[in-house]
Amino acid sequence: MDTFDWIVTGAKAAFLVVILLHVVPIMAWVERRGSALIQNRLGPNRVGPLGIFQSLADAVKFIFKEDPVPGHVEPFYYVLAPLVSLVPAFMTFGVIPFASSIQLGDRMIHFQVADLNVGLLYVFSIASLGVYGIIMAGWASNNKYSMLGSLRSSSQMISYEISMGLSVIGIVMVFSSVKLGDIATQQGELLTHFGPLLLPEALQFPRWGVFVQPVGFLIFLVSVFAETNRLPFDLPEGESEIIAGYHLEYGSMKFAMFMMAEYLNMFTASGLLATLYLGGWQLFPGMGYVLHEVQAYFQMSALAGDWTRIVFEVVSFGIKVGFFMWFFVWVRWTLPRFRYDQLMDLGWKVMLPLSLANILITSVFIFFGWV
Amino acid sequence: MDISPLFFYGLAGLAIACSFWVVFNRNPVSSAFSLVLVFFSFAGIYALLDAHLIATLQILVYAGAIMVLFIFVIMLLNADIPSFDLARSHLFVKCIAGFISVLLFGLFTWVFQKSPNSRALGPFTVEAIEASGGNTQVLSELLFSEYILPFELTSILLLAAIVGAVALAKRKLAGGRF
């Protein structure tokens, strides 16, 4: 690695961190306004236009609030726990590509912080570390409600991690790569088969993961809700049973860090869903035409044209991620929550067999060359 | 600028320090948390050696799955802290443990000093692996061709373990002791 590589990698990492840090307050605002929209209320509307600065006010409040450490906790792990859940949340997005690549001189720059050849496995391994923050918080709080909440949360995360991992195997089999960059690139091709049927030219559509792996997509989507502890699977919290669960003893910025971790996990999950199943940075149908028109209208040089393409790809990826983020909010304020035994039954008796069957059927399809 | 020695000594130091913390800590749960950190630093060292797949699997399997189970067991069985208390254990046991540790350390040092420094490189150099599609691909191809029999036998072993666990749990349930 020479200086240029260092600068490029640093710039990409900095860009990503800035985006990740901005996702949290924006999502907090979207969640409030979204819930108000769904429940026919107004939501925050006093601070700034449409209450957009409400999150800023909240951040100020979180930072300047008194930050006591209760007397009955294990101080070291109590302080460490929010960090342990926040850091993996920041780390996972590093392998997700947010645009394709650009040629600068004789160098190829990929818009992805780290193009690891273990790609997808990296996301799962780092995401599985997030559970320690929750276990640690529940244990260090020395409180029965916290402990129960953390046990619920971690067992739910472990159970759904299995079906989540298995559902992705279908995608890995179809695109025969675990590198997220490769998977996103291959989704730009056209789908020529629908099962054993050959599609006519007019009906061919992009080979997005959702079209080749619809069942895998569904399993992954449901598992992600359980992994991020979002409604309808937000069992770790329950006002009438275990109050606030694992973050019961936390206040001010330490509580905010748990909240940030939740939103960042949502963001990573949305990025992963978009990359695996909606073509990642691949342009929407029609955007390619607009891009050509723009390039032709301004008579751009090859380099400027390439940068315009990158901007279009980032926008396309952003729309897909934004859709899933909104989907999380939408589901939260629409569906009632599950009971804990129902959640476990769904995970082990429906999702797990379904994901195994999905692998089997996918391998049959691949054997006959239908995918 | 090669900064990998810096990372190696950092991670190795962390691993050793955390291992000591695992042994000398009196609280079983915090011992388990330090063990997670030990695994994590091992994964870092593997990644420095360009063995990305092993590093990832180390975190995914050991840190992400097995240790979570350990911590669950420690928490749910409510292992009492005094049984981990060093001060209460017998002096004789301490002496034996210390002697064996020193002996093992000496043995390892001796073996590593005796072993030849330069070995012939196998076919799987970093460049060769990079050329044939990365760690994941090379390892999976080997696993499903040359080593298919041991691989499948291991899976049967694991299946037997799962069936055994289920059978044991079922029998207890039928006995009405729970």
Side-chain angles (χ1 to χ4, degrees):
Chain A
M1 278 177 86
D2 57 7
T3 322
F4 183 78
D5 282 337
W6 280 102
I7 291 170
V8 168
T9 311
K12 283 189 286 196
F15 173 74
L16 207 61
V17 168
V18 168
I19 295 283
L20 287 175
L21 282 174
H22 282 82
V23 160
V24 179
I26 291 172
M27 272 317 290
W29 177 77
V30 168
E31 182 120 61
R32 286 172 180 167
R33 291 296 294 196
S35 70
L37 184 74
I38 288 169
Q39 296 175 337
N40 207 6
R41 299 183 282 116
L42 279 176
N45 60 353
R46 288 290 181 271
V47 196
L50 293 175
I52 187 99
F53 296 129
Q54 184 67 49
S55 305
L56 207 67
D58 277 352
V60 171
K61 179 190 154 197
F62 274 134
I63 290 167
F64 287 104
K65 214 173 169 184
E66 190 191 354
D67 189 12
V69 177
H72 56 84
V73 300
E74 190 92 8
F76 178 68
Y77 290 104
Y78 174 81
V79 176
L80 194 64
L83 280 169
V84 171
S85 59
L86 187 62
V87 170
F90 266 106
M91 280 168 75
T92 31
F93 212 92
V95 290
I96 297 175
F98 45 89
S100 63
S101 47
I102 191 167
Q103 186 91 28
L104 278 188
D106 55 347
R107 286 170 195 275
M108 200 68 154
I109 294 176
H110 296 280
F111 284 81
Q112 180 182 15
V113 175
D115 189 17
L116 302 176
N117 62 35
V118 286
L120 206 53
L121 292 172
Y122 168 85
V123 176
F124 282 108
S125 67
I126 299 296
S128 72
L129 290 178
V131 76
Y132 282 110
I134 289 168
I135 298 180
M136 219 180 254
W139 174 72
S141 293
N142 195 12
N143 177 321
K144 284 184 181 122
Y145 294 125
S146 300
M147 188 70 195
L148 286 172
S150 88
L151 284 179
R152 271 190 187 188
S153 171
S154 41
S155 52
Q156 149 182 349
M157 279 166 89
I158 293 170
S159 310
Y160 277 84
E161 212 172 80
I162 297 170
S163 41
M164 189 165 146
L166 288 175
S167 68
V168 169
I169 290 181
I171 280 283
V172 174
M173 283 161 79
V174 170
F175 297 114
S176 60
S177 175
V178 284
K179 286 168 110 172
L180 287 165
D182 287 358
I183 292 175
T185 312
Q186 286 188 44
Q187 293 183 54
E189 294 159 12
L190 283 176
L191 194 68
T192 50
H193 288 72
F194 183 75
L197 298 174
L198 224 86
L199 288 174
E201 192 97 5
L203 279 179
Q204 290 182 356
F205 41 88
R207 197 176 171 219
W208 286 2
V210 65
F211 300 127
V212 289
Q213 282 285 314
V215 178
F217 171 68
L218 212 63
I219 298 166
F220 193 85
L221 190 63
V222 173
S223 307
V224 150
F225 277 90
E227 283 291 301
T228 49
N229 294 327
R230 291 283 295 185
L231 226 104
F233 302 136
D234 71 332
L235 278 305
E237 291 175 55
E239 281 78 5
S240 52
E241 312 149 19
I242 50 170
I243 319 177
Y246 61 89
H247 54 61
L248 172 61
E249 297 286 354
Y250 286 87
S252 74
M253 204 56 207
K254 291 206 217 51
F255 166 73
M257 277 156 87
F258 279 120
M259 208 179 76
M260 279 170 80
E262 181 184 319
Y263 281 121
L264 290 179
N265 282 331
M266 265 165 70
F267 189 61
T268 310
S270 305
L272 211 55
L273 274 162
T275 309
L276 293 175
Y277 294 102
L278 287 191
W281 43 260
Q282 299 286 351
L283 298 179
F284 279 105
M287 273 175 91
Y289 175 75
V290 176
L291 175 64
H292 277 295
E293 289 296 306
V294 168
Q295 279 169 344
Y297 181 76
F298 291 106
Q299 288 166 356
M300 286 175 179
S301 64
L303 189 65
D306 268 354
W307 278 109
T308 323
R309 174 175 58 83
I310 294 295
V311 169
F312 268 65
E313 281 168 357
V314 171
V315 168
S316 169
F317 183 67
I319 292 170
K320 286 165 188 173
V321 173
F323 167 73
F324 281 116
M325 296 296 277
W326 169 247
F327 188 73
F328 274 107
V329 174
W330 186 10
V331 166
R332 174 169 176 181
W333 299 102
T334 308
L335 295 181
R337 63 207 297 252
F338 275 51
R339 228 170 44 217
Y340 196 67
D341 59 323
Q342 291 173 330
L343 167 90
M344 281 297 169
D345 277 359
L346 182 72
W348 289 101
K349 294 182 185 163
V350 180
M351 289 298 161
L352 185 60
L354 207 61
S355 51
L356 287 172
N358 184 43
I359 294 175
L360 192 73
I361 293 170
T362 309
S363 39
V364 169
F365 269 55
I366 290 175
F367 181 75
F368 288 110
W370 289 343
V371 182
Chain B
M1 186 171 62
D2 190 21
I3 53 166
S4 49
L6 206 70
F7 277 105
F8 172 76
Y9 285 115
L11 289 167
L14 187 70
I16 293 171
C18 289
S19 307
F20 274 118
W21 190 247
V22 173
V23 179
F24 290 117
N25 206 311
R26 293 185 184 182
N27 191 328
V29 177
S30 89
S31 279
F33 283 141
S34 330
L35 195 57
V36 176
L37 216 57
V38 174
F39 288 140
F40 198 77
S41 17
F42 282 176
I45 292 174
Y46 293 146
L48 281 179
L49 294 170
D50 279 320
H52 299 121
L53 183 66
I54 303 293
T56 319
L57 291 182
Q58 170 87 11
I59 295 177
L60 192 65
V61 176
Y62 284 96
I66 292 179
M67 280 317 292
V68 173
L69 205 68
F70 269 38
I71 291 174
F72 259 110
V73 169
I74 294 172
M75 280 179 172
L76 290 180
L77 294 185
N78 207 2
D80 53 336
I81 291 163
S83 71
F84 285 81
D85 202 339
L86 274 179
R88 279 166 49 121
S89 64
H90 203 273
L91 188 68
F92 180 68
V93 178
K94 271 192 215 170
C95 285
I96 294 276
F99 178 68
I100 292 177
S101 315
V102 171
L103 204 69
L104 261 179
F105 184 71
L107 189 71
F108 279 132
T109 326
W110 185 69
V111 166
F112 280 119
Q113 290 227 317
K114 282 279 168 190
S115 64
N117 277 329
S118 58
R119 286 215 185 86
L121 282 172
F124 298 108
T125 54
V126 175
E127 293 79 27
I129 287 175
E130 208 56 57
S132 51
N135 287 311
T136 319
Q137 193 155 352
V138 171
L139 195 101
S140 15
E141 272 166 10
L142 277 177
L143 216 52
F144 282 100
S145 57
E146 208 175 326
Y147 297 100
I148 183 78
L149 188 67
F151 180 66
E152 293 298 335
L153 284 178
T154 315
S155 68
I156 289 173
L157 194 69
L158 285 174
L159 184 68
I162 294 170
V163 171
V166 171
L168 281 173
K170 279 272 181 210
R171 199 171 57 203
K172 276 192 178 158
L173 211 66
R177 267 172 288 175
F178 279 87

